[in-house]
Amino acid sequence: KSTNPFGWPQIVLSVYGPDFFGHDVVRGYGAVHVPFVPGRHKRTIAMFVPESSSRLQQFTSWFTGRRPEFTDPKVVAQGEGREVTRVRSQGFVTISFNVM
């Protein structure tokens, strides 16, 4: 039993899709805590993508098709160290839980 969501199970989403050149690139990351109350639950997750820190890096990543992405999903779930990471909002994903 816990009184706060620290360490509570989470679902981490990594959404990928093709870009203009057909390269498979990240479209968004997001995380949500799993509800613990029985029943049907609907959650909307705000998605975000990491961005390059300079214009030159942005152009190079666009040209080569190698965009910035997280290598470890724990970065998305924990949020520790993310305050120094440049990210851009990238829409929302809605999921439904059926908890027993």
Side-chain angles (χ1 to χ4, degrees):
K1 187 171 184 175
S2 177
T3 57
N4 64 7
F6 178 76
W8 194 260
Q10 295 183 48
I11 292 182
V12 176
L13 298 174
S14 299
V15 180
Y16 291 84
D19 66 356
F20 182 75
F21 300 110
H23 299 115
D24 200 26
V25 296
V26 67
R27 293 292 183 187
Y29 293 106
V32 66
H33 288 280
V34 177
F36 59 91
V37 178
R40 184 174 176 88
H41 304 277
K42 193 181 222 182
R43 297 288 188 262
T44 301
I45 305 168
M47 304 298 283
F48 60 90
V49 292
E51 283 200 331
S52 299
S53 57
S54 72
R55 293 278 183 201
L56 179 60
Q57 286 177 337
Q58 286 176 354
F59 176 74
T60 304
S61 66
W62 176 82
F63 186 71
T64 61
R66 306 272 306 162
R67 304 228 175 119
E69 59 183 80
F70 297 127
T71 56
D72 188 8
K74 288 181 183 178
V75 174
V76 178
Q78 292 174 347
E80 209 170 288
R82 249 186 27 210
E83 64 273 359
V84 296
T85 306
R86 184 179 290 186
V87 295
R88 175 175 38 97
S89 179
Q90 192 67 16
F92 299 92
V93 171
T94 303
I95 62 173
S96 295
F97 294 96
N98 288 314
V99 180
M100 292 177 55

